[in-house]
Amino acid sequence: MNKMLLVAKYEYLYNLKRPAFLFAAFGTPIFFVIIMAVVTLASAGTEVDLATYGPVGYVDQADVLTTGQAHPDYPALFQSFESIESARTALDDEAIIAYIELPATYLSTGRVNLYTYQSSVPENLTAAIELFLLTNFTTGIELPFTLERLQEGVDIRVQTVDDGRTSTQGGLFVTLFLPVIFAFLLITASLTNSGFLMSGLVQERTNRVIEILVTSVTPLQLLAGKIIGLGLLGLTQVVILLGTTYLGLALGQSQNLEFLQGVNLPPALIALALIYFLVTFFFMAALLAGIGAVSSSEQESRQISGFLTIPFMIPYLFFITFITEPNGTVPTILSLIPFTAPMSVLIRVGLTDVPAWQIGLSLLILVLTTVFSVWAGSKMFRWGLLLYGKKFDLREVVRVIFGRARMETSTPQNITSQESV
Amino acid sequence: MVNAIHVDHVSKTYGSFRAVDDLSFEVNQGEIFAMLGPNGAGKSTTIRMILDILKPDVGTISVFGGPLTDAKKDRIGYLPEERGLYRNVKVLEMMTYLGTLKGMTQRNAQSRSKELLERLALIEHRDKKVSELSKGMQQKVQFAVTVLHDPDLIIVDEPFSGLDPVNTLVIKDLMLDMKQRGKAVVMSSHEMHQVEEMADRLLMINRGRQALYGPVDEVRRRYAIHAVIVEGQGAWEQLSGVQRVEPHKNGRNAAILHLAPNVTSNDLLATIAAAPNATIERFELAVPSLNDIFIQVAGRDE
């Protein structure tokens, strides 16, 4: 097998088993699914069988339930009481499980008080109370539809005009923010995996495995193998992320969770996110490989890489601007700067209709920067691979990238340390 | 047969520091070749240039009769002085990976790794992580990685450091076995007695320059002094033919007898045998150990 592919396979399998990766890949999605499940279970748990549920008393001080007509579904659920006191006595004697009070002001405020010793009120009891009231209000009126239809009121579907995504009012929040969260997870995955590449490389240098490696494969085979292996690892993570997102959505929607109704992730958005994911990965992987190859310790390389990662999060500092003015000056500029572009574009695409030329230009600039970063990164990589214990010197690095192409892998400063007994 | 290594007038300078200065030597197939020298003499730089990790400023290096190609790298095994192993990977898994990087098939690399682990008495540790092994065990694993792909040339930097006598013997056997099968072995070592015992030829480098080069026996003879070492009782000063007596620094009861120019060691032996009150327990030519030569050569340029 080609040595580059061997390196790729090894890096993929090794990092796949790492706790850090497993946590990043499965932790977030599992958390998401668990939240869905908990919400689903919690809402399912508040449904009770009202046929066997204890009677509920009512005290009608607003004089709206004079007929006391029961809804056909719940013929014996509600019992009338003359006064609050008698209802209270019945409650204390456990003759009823709860009682509602319709205050005199009910017709103007719509407010109803419910008294019970139970810790929670089943959701379908609320619905039953509404139906009970509606049954009485509509006595003698011929309805052209069912009472339940009247009870439900208006169901508004929000259509975002730009990309044809639909959602209910409740789902609007999720529709807008799901892409934002998704973008965040994707770019983070990209940064995490390029971080793996760097720390792996620094470890190989500290362990001196690198000496064995470079006498077996060329530096470029090594670098390319690592980038491919970890790139595939990143894609695996994205597939897991997408899979669980769809699973969570399907699960939530099957349970009729109102805030997820009609929420979907359009394929075009996912495709764009994947493109940004890959370009960002190559951009950072090459850059961090170069840094991993020239920095003297894992700690130092982490500091530098942390410093380079911060700009990716800058768009979140302007989050309010992004929401209120997604096509304004700041979001537009941030969409073009290589480091801030991935997040900015993906957030904006989730919020509004971004002009195609901006996406195109943003990608063009990012791709050009990536080409440069791969070129410079591989130079630093070749140069710094076998340099030990030397302090990171930016001027020297710049000279290596732009100056002489000759490969110089050792310096007099570390001669003694290399040859110590 | 082409030389395993041919170094021809090679120099390497770092800034103003001349690490290797006009160095030339050859390593033949089927020999153990020792590279000696004080710290910072340029041994590691030379090794790195042979392995194409560094490029020489001047001169040429050929390996197996030409420049080092990727295919030739698969025929070389390298044991760096600073040991290099993946620490968090299982022994067998790591060996197999490094073997495949040398062009072996997965299956081949695995079975050969097991074979070597068996030979090095490490087979029961194959599923342990490298970091869980003792230092000596790691050293053996490192050596196993070096010879895993049955290379035609191995370059081992301080192969015995950190090994107990039993394991030293195991590694030594592996190296002699390679030599027997016509492979070239280049070892850099500070343990002179090992070099003395194993190496066929040596190169001593001092300050980047060649200080000594040739067969081990020849080098030792070249530094021999006209004297013998004796251990026993006797009035050595009074023997005829003895110019000067000095105590031997390592011997409890030994002395170095410097001979007059026209006296041979055989003459002296006869004289001692004829002497009335002399008894000898040891009698040998004062051929210096490599250690002495090493100190002498390294000290001369200080």
Side-chain angles (χ1 to χ4, degrees):
Chain A
M1 210 197 304
N2 182 312
K3 286 183 178 176
M4 182 184 78
L5 295 180
L6 280 172
V7 174
K9 184 180 147 203
Y10 178 81
E11 291 291 335
Y12 180 84
L13 291 176
Y14 172 71
N15 285 293
L16 191 68
K17 290 183 274 181
R18 275 168 54 143
F21 173 77
L22 293 177
F23 183 75
F26 292 101
T28 323
I30 285 175
F31 183 69
F32 181 63
V33 170
I34 287 175
I35 292 285
M36 284 296 146
V38 167
V39 170
T40 309
L41 287 176
S43 55
T46 59
E47 300 265 320
V48 293
D49 183 5
L50 290 176
T52 58
Y53 196 68
V56 175
Y58 66 91
V59 182
D60 178 19
Q61 291 166 340
D63 283 338
V64 289
L65 295 170
T66 40
T67 58
Q69 194 176 337
H71 185 268
D73 285 355
Y74 315 109
L77 184 62
F78 297 103
Q79 278 178 19
S80 175
F81 285 86
E82 281 308 310
S83 65
I84 301 281
E85 289 74 26
S86 58
R88 178 61 190 265
T89 311
L91 184 68
D92 288 343
D93 294 345
E94 296 182 10
I96 53 172
I97 196 160
Y99 67 89
I100 48 177
E101 177 206 3
L102 277 74
T105 53
Y106 169 70
L107 282 176
S108 57
T109 62
R111 186 161 149 192
V112 175
N113 298 317
L114 188 141
Y115 300 87
T116 182
Y117 283 114
Q118 306 287 310
S119 57
S120 68
V121 180
E123 215 164 85
N124 49 352
L125 178 62
T126 317
I129 292 169
E130 279 175 18
L131 275 180
F132 178 51
L133 290 171
L134 285 173
T135 309
N136 284 280
F137 290 154
T138 55
T139 309
I141 301 170
E142 193 65 39
L143 285 178
F145 41 70
T146 61
L147 266 185
E148 282 80 2
R149 182 67 212 79
L150 186 64
Q151 187 190 9
E152 271 163 20
V154 192
D155 179 20
I156 297 180
R157 297 268 149 179
V158 181
Q159 309 273 344
T160 42
V161 184
D162 50 346
D163 53 10
R165 274 179 295 151
T166 24
S167 68
T168 54
Q169 185 112 45
L172 184 63
F173 179 83
V174 183
T175 305
L176 287 181
F177 283 90
L178 196 60
V180 173
I181 295 165
F182 195 66
F184 177 78
L185 291 177
L186 222 56
I187 300 304
T188 314
S190 193
L191 297 177
T192 315
N193 283 298
S194 32
F196 282 165
L197 199 162
M198 183 191 69
S199 63
L201 199 57
V202 174
Q203 275 167 24
E204 280 168 355
R205 288 179 63 234
T206 1
N207 290 342
R208 307 296 208 258
V209 185
I210 203 78
E211 300 214 4
I212 304 282
L213 293 179
V214 295
T215 49
S216 306
V217 299
T218 64
L220 275 181
Q221 280 173 331
L222 189 63
L223 180 63
K226 279 173 179 294
I227 290 182
I228 291 171
L230 287 163
L232 287 176
L233 190 73
L235 277 181
T236 310
Q237 193 177 344
V238 169
V239 168
I240 294 169
L241 194 61
L242 273 176
T244 42
T245 306
Y246 277 115
L247 191 72
L249 274 181
L251 186 71
Q253 285 169 351
S254 75
Q255 292 297 322
N256 287 318
L257 290 186
E258 203 207 335
F259 69 95
L260 287 181
Q261 292 312 306
V263 170
N264 59 24
L265 281 169
L269 186 75
I270 289 173
L272 192 68
L274 280 179
I275 292 172
Y276 272 98
F277 166 79
L278 281 177
V279 178
T280 306
F281 174 75
F282 282 118
F283 174 46
M284 283 306 277
L287 202 60
L288 293 185
I291 287 163
V294 296
S295 59
S296 60
S297 67
E298 193 156 5
Q299 197 190 2
E300 187 183 74
S301 66
R302 286 229 175 112
Q303 281 164 358
I304 300 172
S305 78
F307 183 72
L308 288 176
T309 320
I310 293 169
F312 282 90
M313 303 299 160
I314 285 178
Y316 285 92
L317 295 179
F318 297 94
F319 200 60
I320 302 299
T321 320
F322 270 84
I323 291 177
T324 52
E325 242 186 310
N327 280 339
T329 318
V330 173
T332 306
I333 290 174
L334 288 179
S335 301
L336 299 178
I337 300 170
F339 286 94
T340 54
M343 276 313 183
S344 304
V345 172
L346 293 181
I347 293 175
R348 288 175 64 202
V349 166
L351 295 172
T352 184
D353 200 5
V354 181
W357 70 265
Q358 284 187 16
I359 297 179
L361 186 62
S362 156
L363 268 175
L364 181 72
I365 294 173
L366 191 58
V367 166
L368 287 178
T369 324
T370 303
V371 170
F372 172 77
S373 118
V374 170
W375 176 74
S378 66
K379 274 202 154 181
M380 282 158 73
F381 185 77
R382 282 171 58 96
W383 173 77
L385 214 49
L386 297 161
L387 214 80
Y388 303 126
K390 230 183 144 249
K391 267 231 129 346
F392 184 84
D393 181 351
L394 191 62
R395 264 179 312 170
E396 204 165 339
V397 169
V398 169
R399 220 185 55 220
V400 167
I401 296 172
F402 296 102
R404 301 169 306 149
R406 245 189 58 206
M407 196 174 148
E408 185 93 58
T409 43
S410 205
T411 55
Q413 289 96 305
N414 55 38
I415 279 288
T416 30
S417 70
Q418 279 167 22
E419 299 214 330
S420 60
V421 189
Chain B
M1 194 163 68
V2 289
N3 295 321
I5 301 170
H6 184 99
V7 173
D8 192 20
H9 297 287
V10 162
S11 295
K12 176 78 188 172
T13 307
Y14 303 117
S16 61
F17 178 79
R18 187 150 265 221
V20 172
D21 191 0
D22 195 32
L23 199 63
S24 299
F25 63 93
E26 284 166 10
V27 177
N28 304 317
Q29 292 287 357
E31 76 170 353
I32 295 181
F33 184 84
M35 275 175 73
L36 314 172
N39 297 337
K43 297 186 304 272
S44 289
T45 302
T46 308
I47 288 176
R48 286 167 172 215
M49 285 193 289
I50 295 169
L51 291 168
D52 200 32
I53 297 172
L54 286 172
K55 301 261 185 249
D57 300 337
V58 192
T60 54
I61 294 174
S62 52
V63 177
F64 303 126
L68 186 63
T69 58
D70 286 345
K72 280 180 188 171
K73 281 185 181 176
D74 290 350
R75 295 171 61 194
I76 300 177
Y78 174 42
L79 180 97
E81 185 191 348
E82 304 262 11
R83 308 302 180 216
L85 294 173
Y86 285 103
R87 303 193 54 74
N88 293 318
V89 185
K90 290 175 184 169
V91 173
L92 184 62
E93 196 180 317
M94 180 200 64
M95 287 179 72
T96 309
Y97 172 56
L98 293 176
T100 56
L101 286 187
K102 284 289 189 183
M104 301 174 88
T105 62
Q106 175 90 12
R107 177 184 299 196
N108 199 356
Q110 197 170 43
S111 64
R112 170 95 173 132
S113 298
K114 282 186 188 160
E115 195 184 305
L116 276 167
L117 287 175
E118 195 95 55
R119 189 163 171 183
L120 294 168
L122 285 173
I123 191 73
E124 70 269 34
H125 302 294
R126 68 183 163 214
D127 288 329
K128 278 192 188 161
K129 285 181 177 174
V130 171
S131 54
E132 294 164 25
L133 300 182
S134 74
K135 223 174 164 190
M137 288 178 185
Q138 289 185 22
Q139 173 86 334
K140 287 202 285 181
V141 170
Q142 184 90 54
F143 194 87
V145 167
T146 311
V147 297
L148 188 60
H149 52 298
D150 195 25
D152 294 322
L153 164 65
I154 59 169
I155 299 179
V156 290
D157 210 340
E158 295 292 344
F160 306 114
S161 76
L163 286 182
D164 61 36
V166 175
N167 285 319
T168 301
L169 210 62
V170 175
I171 298 296
K172 219 154 101 177
D173 277 349
L174 273 167
M175 285 168 70
L176 289 170
D177 179 57
M178 297 211 64
K179 174 196 161 174
Q180 226 79 82
R181 291 188 295 124
K183 319 280 190 183
V185 177
V186 174
M187 66 183 266
S188 147
S189 180
H190 279 100
E191 287 170 64
M192 295 301 164
H193 63 283
Q194 301 290 3
V195 174
E196 228 162 69
E197 211 177 306
M198 297 173 66
D200 300 293
R201 293 193 311 128
L202 66 79
L203 168 73
M204 189 184 287
I205 310 175
N206 196 24
R207 303 186 167 209
R209 256 172 273 136
Q210 173 187 316
L212 282 172
Y213 176 52
V216 173
D217 295 341
E218 200 182 296
V219 168
R220 287 184 67 190
R221 240 176 289 133
R222 203 188 308 161
Y223 276 78
I225 47 174
H226 193 48
V228 294
I229 299 166
V230 291
E231 214 176 291
Q233 274 85 42
W236 309 128
E237 299 86 352
Q238 290 156 21
L239 295 176
S240 71
V242 174
Q243 278 189 331
R244 184 160 61 85
V245 175
E246 67 176 287
H248 190 262
K249 50 183 177 296
N250 296 332
R252 286 172 300 262
N253 198 15
I256 301 171
L257 314 187
H258 293 265
L259 305 182
N262 56 341
V263 176
T264 67
S265 54
N266 280 354
D267 296 342
L268 182 68
L269 190 57
T271 313
I272 293 174
N277 295 321
T279 55
I280 51 169
E281 286 143 19
R282 172 178 166 211
F283 183 91
E284 70 178 54
L285 289 179
V287 175
S289 65
L290 278 182
N291 206 33
D292 298 335
I293 300 175
F294 181 87
I295 292 168
Q296 200 179 331
V297 170
R300 191 173 57 199
D301 290 356
E302 286 301 314

